Amino acid sequence: MKKQRLVVRTIILIVLVGALAYTLYTNFFTDKQLVGIGDQAPNFVLTDLNGNQVEFDNYRGKGVFLNFWGTWCKPCEKEMPYIENQYQVYKDLGVGVLAIDVGEPELSVKNFVERKGMTFPVAIDEKLEVLEAYGVNPLPTTFLVDKDGKIVDIITGQLTEELIKSHMERIKP
């Protein structure tokens, strides 16, 4: 009986050490950012909060302010009113905004969007596939995409309204 417990404990220890080694390797020795400046922005299809399919390639011809965020993220919360203000200015000038929440429940996201008065498209990346495809870390992260679908810039961290305005100017067709 004692020998069986030792074998089981040894196997569990080996599995835990293997998982720890894999986690450390992927966090420190692999490049998280899968796309970079000058690359073509990967296409994806998500469902927005109104139940409509949103395909990123349908934004071609417009500059896109692609923002990854979460309702729990304080810097994300602070920049949302600024993004909304600039969206109202630039939406008729060929700049689109698409905000992608990272896997939270739809009810939480809808409540946040209503509370903040956000009118630009918001989709939820339920399986975190888009987050992974773009190599997003940390939140908020914003990708500036030009009318041809090329990534112009990648900005991490909270943006001020002045910075959002200048970034939208950069991607305006």
Side-chain angles (χ1 to χ4, degrees):
M1 192 66 160
K2 229 178 179 182
K3 192 172 185 176
Q4 283 180 331
R5 275 192 298 207
L6 179 62
V7 169
V8 169
R9 288 178 181 166
T10 303
I11 290 171
I12 291 171
L13 182 62
I14 290 170
V15 169
L16 288 174
V17 169
L20 178 63
Y22 175 77
T23 302
L24 290 173
Y25 173 77
T26 57
N27 281 332
F28 294 110
F29 299 108
T30 59
D31 186 14
K32 288 197 183 319
Q33 191 167 345
L34 302 178
V35 295
I37 295 171
D39 291 344
Q40 195 70 25
N43 188 36
F44 57 85
V45 178
L46 293 173
T47 303
D48 70 12
L49 294 180
N50 298 319
N52 302 314
Q53 294 285 308
V54 177
E55 183 171 359
F56 189 70
D57 277 353
N58 290 340
Y59 280 85
R60 292 286 156 92
K62 288 183 169 188
V64 183
F65 190 89
L66 180 62
N67 182 261
F68 290 86
W69 66 287
T71 62
W72 48 267
C73 167
K74 290 300 177 191
C76 302
E77 183 176 4
K78 287 180 182 174
E79 71 182 8
M80 284 303 169
Y82 306 144
I83 295 172
E84 175 63 30
N85 291 344
Q86 295 308 309
Y87 170 68
Q88 294 303 325
V89 172
Y90 284 91
K91 68 181 179 180
D92 296 326
L93 300 175
V95 176
V97 170
L98 179 56
I100 299 180
D101 176 85
V102 293
E104 294 181 278
E106 187 175 339
L107 183 61
S108 299
V109 177
K110 279 185 174 182
N111 287 340
F112 182 94
V113 167
E114 288 173 14
R115 200 170 64 249
K116 294 293 178 185
M118 297 159 52
T119 61
F120 49 83
V122 175
I124 300 172
D125 184 12
E126 293 177 8
K127 297 178 183 172
L128 305 180
E129 293 171 340
V130 179
L131 179 88
E132 289 177 20
Y134 277 77
V136 173
N137 188 27
L139 293 181
T141 293
T142 302
F143 289 78
L144 302 179
V145 183
D146 70 13
K147 64 182 178 58
D148 300 318
K150 294 231 189 266
I151 297 172
V152 174
D153 206 348
I154 303 168
I155 302 109
T156 57
Q158 180 183 334
L159 295 169
T160 63
E161 189 157 6
E162 294 78 28
L163 282 172
I164 292 168
K165 180 180 180 178
S166 70
H167 291 319
M168 289 192 176
E169 275 296 321
R170 291 174 60 196
I171 57 176
K172 183 173 74 172

